[in-house]
Amino acid sequence: MVHLLGFWDSVLLILLGVFTAIWGVKLARLVASLVFGFAMGYVLYAYSTPALQATFTPLVLFLVGFIVGAMIGFSAFKMVVSLLSGYILAQLLVSTGYVASGETAVLVLALAFAAIIYALMDKALAIGFALLGAGMVYQGLLAAGIQGSLALILALAVLIIGVLPQTRRL
């Protein structure tokens, strides 16, 4: 198998994989918080700058919007992912004909799936990020020239090391 990664690229991929496997859920929540905070801060800044003729007040409003938005983004992360996933599953079932079509069916199914997904979200995210990180480690080890079976054993170790602490904290 031909690998296009150099040695240092492989090392970086392995390190990123370990980081993702162990701290992936926290990283996802942090990114969601920052994105929502910047978006809310920008909206307050963009709409307050023309209305307010001051230069300092829009910056203060951006900071307030960023802080409030980051808190909302952190707390709404799990709910938003659950609602979107529930809606996608409901649409899939309705579109394939397993459930009678209609807006009411989609709404009821979406909310039911969202509730189930919300209950399982923390563990699913922990497992998902641990799998992603282990896959990155495996690919990085293969690209670094490590034998396939040893790379697989090390990637499985990273998977276990990533899943156990993240699911205990939840």
Side-chain angles (χ1 to χ4, degrees):
M1 181 186 290
V2 177
H3 295 285
L4 301 175
L5 297 176
F7 178 75
W8 292 111
D9 296 332
S10 302
V11 170
L12 182 62
L13 186 60
I14 293 166
L15 291 175
L16 285 173
V18 170
F19 183 80
T20 301
I22 296 173
W23 296 290
V25 175
K26 288 184 179 186
L27 180 66
R29 287 186 188 258
L30 175 68
V31 168
S33 297
L34 290 176
V35 167
F36 203 85
F38 276 117
M40 191 165 190
Y42 175 74
V43 166
L44 284 179
Y45 176 79
Y47 287 108
S48 67
T49 301
L52 302 172
Q53 298 298 325
T55 56
F56 186 66
T57 308
L59 294 175
V60 171
L61 286 175
F62 172 81
L63 186 61
V64 169
F66 176 79
I67 292 169
V68 170
M71 290 188 301
I72 291 170
F74 185 80
S75 61
F77 173 74
K78 188 175 168 183
M79 182 183 65
V80 169
V81 171
S82 299
L83 286 172
L84 285 174
S85 301
Y87 176 74
I88 290 170
L89 284 172
Q91 278 291 15
L92 181 68
L93 282 177
V94 169
S95 68
T96 55
Y98 288 117
V99 177
S101 64
E103 295 164 356
T104 306
V106 171
L107 179 64
V108 170
L109 279 173
L111 290 176
F113 283 135
I116 293 167
I117 292 168
Y118 187 85
L120 302 173
M121 178 61 63
D122 290 329
K123 295 209 184 291
L125 281 174
I127 291 168
F129 278 109
L131 276 170
L132 177 66
M136 292 168 65
V137 167
Y138 179 71
Q139 289 297 318
L141 289 170
L142 287 179
I146 304 295
Q147 181 184 357
S149 57
L150 180 60
L152 183 61
I153 291 169
L154 291 173
L156 286 174
V158 168
L159 175 68
I160 293 168
I161 290 170
V163 167
L164 291 179
Q166 289 190 84
T167 54
R168 271 193 221 130
R169 285 180 260 172
L170 303 174

